[in-house]
Amino acid sequence: STAVQERAKPVYTTVPGWATDTTQCRSFDALPAAARAYVDLISEEMGAPFIIVSVGPDRDQTIEIG
């Protein structure tokens, strides 16, 4: 309901970034450590695993996880 949403408070988590181009990565292990940690954090917060991660618009820029 709107009343519940009005009482909601955002929770911010600061994570390290990465300044590395990931568009050429073709496996999860090829991603920078900070990028892998970010994906893992989002997965934990959502309570669901990622199946794919995209590093660009092309089909070959889709990394299947697990």
Side-chain angles (χ1 to χ4, degrees):
S1 73
T2 304
V4 172
Q5 290 177 354
E6 288 174 348
R7 293 191 312 267
K9 303 272 190 222
V11 176
Y12 296 97
T13 302
T14 302
V15 297
W18 58 95
T20 306
D21 178 21
T22 59
T23 60
Q24 299 304 311
C25 295
R26 296 298 179 263
S27 71
F28 189 71
D29 291 336
L31 291 170
R36 292 190 312 269
Y38 178 72
V39 171
D40 290 340
L41 173 69
I42 298 300
S43 179
E44 288 174 23
E45 292 293 320
M46 289 177 24
F50 274 84
I51 298 171
I52 61 170
V53 172
S54 178
V55 294
D58 295 331
R59 285 182 185 257
D60 69 339
Q61 292 176 303
T62 300
I63 298 170
E64 293 185 36
I65 302 175

